[in-house]
Amino acid sequence: MDDSDENPSTDRTTVGNQDEPAETPEAGVDTVDDEAIVDGEAAGSGDQADNAKDASDAGDADDADDAVHADDAVEPITLERFYEAVEAEGQSVLTAQQVARRLDTDQSTARDGLDELAATEDLGRLDVEADPVVFYPGEMNDLATQERVVVFPSRREIVVDQPTQYTRAQLAQFAHLVDTTGSDPGTRGYLYRIRQEDVWVAPFEDLEELLGSIRSVLPRRYAHLEEWVTDQWKRAHRFRLYTHEDDYVVLEAANESLMGNVADNHLEDEWLRAPISDTEAWVVESEIAAIKRALYEAGYPVEDDRDLESGEELDVEATTELRDYQQEWVETFLENRSGVYVGPPGSGKTVAAVGTIAAVGGETLILVPSRELADQWTAELLAHSTLDEDDVGQYHGGQKEIAPVTIATYQTAGMDRHRSLFDSREWGLIVYDEAHHIPAPVFSRSADLQAKHRLGLSATPVRETGSEEEIYTLIGPPIGADWDKLFAAGFVQEPEVEIRYVPWRDDAARDVYVSATGRERRRLAAENPAKIEEARYLLSKHPDKKALVFVEYLDQGEELADALDAPFISGETRHRERNRRFEQFRQGEIDTLVVSRVGDEGIDLPDAELAIVASGLGGSRRQGAQRAGRTMRPAGSAEVAVLATRGTSEEEFAQRQMRHLAQKGVRVRETNVGE
């Protein structure tokens, strides 16, 4: 964004690294007799000492793979080899001794080769009295603007500067983005970590495909890392559930030792009816969810190959042609019969779900967070399928209709007195919209629905409570396209995201903040009066754009609505009034809405061109992605401005929320709003 003279600002070129919450320790590993499984290492703490050790590990861990034998010809020191040493060392200014160690040659050879490169100006050379001679790229900018990959194999971390779209797309298939730094060209860096669950759900047919993807982006092969990935891949294919020809469910282990040492140690006796063989056991069907959860926590996700019920037949066909990636989602789901569609808002998860309902062809229960979403689902079903109004019912506080396709709110479905909703029909498919938002009562009820096809929809299937294993085991693994792929194909436009650090302009407000503590401080920072002025400024810069202003607190929402002369929609707004305002916004009759959390989850506002997040930064990363996602659509540019009070915890919260978008390939820049 360009800042005018009336609102001066300075761009920050780097984002201060903030440590992520400590990783959950990996599940304990059981040793088996005929195929010993090696314990994974705990993730490092990330302090400087570990970084220094790991930087050494990055080059030394697997020297045996690339060792240069004494009788081999000495390989010359080229500029490309110098860059290899830079990558391994993790810094761009090196001594001849460091280069020699990294390239596995003697120091004299390294020094001579580096001197030759320095003479051609490909390298810079600096000789400081009392210090060793150091070498660095002749054009530091050349190194800064090209892709560099540094690997820390013992921690399974990968640092990439200026990654290409290809590299980011490959890494997204087997690694988790932990952090990003920088915003301007030459300063952008990404930190990835490969976790066990990333390997378990990697979208590859076999291990060799996965290893091939890893090798395609790393500077060389790392034996220790590949051994760990191989072990995790095998773990994901060690247990499976299948339906016996006599119509009961069997748990099968890959070998006798796994059944004896892993299953026996982690499964309760009452979950198994009887052993069938040394590698198979007849299981209690009502305990299938508990079995899957226990083995997942032990480090062994279960493949579910059971014959699931299709329910009463549903006469329905999809009337909208699916995009290629949506069709891939549906085909993957039909093969697995469970899973969570993961994609940015605007990618058509609901349309893909309608296609899935038609493909399954059984009566369907759809669970949603709000009545507004129930209305939207009804409209989507009628628009994209052959269903008519008599085929679709809603079950919530406003009305209670059971139909071949029934849409219910989580709140109502979680109540014991409405248990008949689950039991009254032979559902063939359960759809969990905004799957990351499922409340505990529905999770526990879902344990009884394991015999059904189960489909979740989510932009980001990660719960801040750490219960993603519940999503994985009770619904299914993630299914989805890489966001970069959708951006590149033009199906969804990448928004411009900016964190704007707003100073205190009111001394009295600043003084109250300084004297406050705890939760009150957070609220005062969120309600910084300067944010009203900043919101006005941003709207004045984009007078033709339809804008959403998100707030956490009702008082602030009302104050902003008055200042901006815009309607305020909150949980206290009557259902009919909400729908009227949303429709006015869609039709362009009003161009600005101030919304509370009611706008975070799935509300269909596809034409928003500007999102201003005025408060709510203490919420989850998923919430940040949802709010930014309200601007994602197939055409036109959209902007997201996140307002954080400078010098408060909001700075860290803003960076944490936006990392979720950076993980999906969205560029995030930062600006200090001028005093």
Side-chain angles (χ1 to χ4, degrees), residues 340-583:
V340 181
Y341 290 164
V342 181
S347 60
K349 295 186 294 296
T350 303
V351 174
V354 174
T356 307
I357 292 170
V360 172
E363 294 193 346
T364 300
L365 173 64
I366 302 170
L367 300 174
V368 298
S370 66
R371 289 168 57 184
E372 285 78 17
L373 275 174
D375 290 341
Q376 287 178 199
W377 264 97
T378 298
E380 293 289 307
L381 288 164
L382 298 179
H384 300 291
S385 77
T386 56
L387 294 171
D388 59 37
E389 292 183 358
D390 292 337
D391 296 320
V392 182
Q394 293 189 23
Y395 196 100
H396 46 65
Q399 61 190 90
K400 293 179 174 60
E401 300 172 351
I402 298 290
V405 177
T406 299
I407 309 163
T409 59
Y410 286 126
Q411 181 179 10
T412 301
M415 298 177 181
D416 287 339
R417 67 176 180 272
H418 298 300
R419 189 176 182 85
S420 61
L421 171 65
F422 289 90
D423 300 335
S424 61
R425 299 184 91 100
E426 292 295 327
W427 308 110
L429 173 65
I430 312 293
V431 178
Y432 302 85
D433 197 9
E434 305 291 350
H436 49 266
H437 203 58
I438 302 175
V442 174
F443 259 132
S444 59
R445 183 81 33 93
S446 297
D448 300 328
L449 298 172
Q450 287 294 297
K452 317 294 185 183
H453 293 76
R454 303 173 308 283
L455 172 64
L457 308 180
S458 179
T460 56
V462 176
R463 291 283 303 262
E464 296 301 307
T465 56
S467 60
E468 58 265 27
E469 67 273 11
E470 292 182 336
I471 295 175
Y472 189 109
T473 57
L474 293 181
I475 302 178
I479 301 169
D482 177 66
W483 286 32
D484 261 354
K485 182 178 180 181
L486 301 185
F487 293 150
F491 290 124
V492 180
Q493 291 297 314
E494 177 181 347
E496 298 177 17
V497 180
E498 180 182 35
I499 303 175
R500 296 180 65 83
Y501 298 103
V502 180
W504 294 99
R505 298 189 188 277
D506 186 321
D507 290 339
R510 189 205 319 255
D511 292 341
V512 172
Y513 170 81
V514 170
S515 62
T517 59
R519 184 174 298 178
E520 183 62 20
R521 265 197 164 200
R522 172 188 159 190
R523 177 162 186 159
L524 289 168
E527 296 181 327
N528 178 0
K531 291 183 178 181
I532 295 177
E533 178 185 342
E534 187 65 18
R536 274 205 199 100
Y537 165 70
L538 292 170
L539 291 174
S540 69
K541 282 185 65 178
H542 307 284
D544 299 326
K545 289 190 174 183
K546 295 163 68 175
L548 297 174
V549 182
F550 291 97
V551 297
E552 181 83 356
Y553 301 103
L554 296 181
D555 290 346
Q556 182 189 28
E558 291 170 354
E559 191 174 359
L560 269 166
D562 289 341
L564 303 177
D565 191 24
F568 176 41
I569 307 298
S570 72
E572 296 181 354
T573 307
R574 295 180 64 86
H575 179 69
R576 182 173 297 177
E577 176 66 8
R578 284 191 214 175
N579 283 344
R580 185 176 73 86
R581 290 299 192 184
F582 288 150
E583 187 59 28

Side-chain angles (χ1 to χ4, degrees), residues 56 62 74 111 125 168 279 312 326 334 392 394 401 405 443 474-475 480 538 634 638:
S56 177
D62 303 304
V74 176
R111 178 63 176 267
R125 183 182 187 279
R168 280 163 52 193
T279 60
E312 293 293 324
Q326 292 171 321
L334 294 176
V392 182
Q394 293 189 23
E401 300 172 351
V405 177
F443 259 132
L474 293 181
I475 302 178
L538 292 170

Side-chain angles (χ1 to χ4, degrees), residues 77 101-102 106 123 137 190 202 235 281 342 348 388 417 422 487 525 527 534 566 610 622 632 639 647 651:
I77 305 298
R101 184 176 72 251
R102 292 302 179 186
D106 62 86
L123 284 189
Y190 293 74
R235 283 170 167 270
V342 181
D388 59 37
R417 67 176 180 272
F422 289 90
F487 293 150
E527 296 181 327
E534 187 65 18
L610 172 66
R622 180 264 312 157
M632 294 185 191
E639 299 185 23
E651 289 194 6

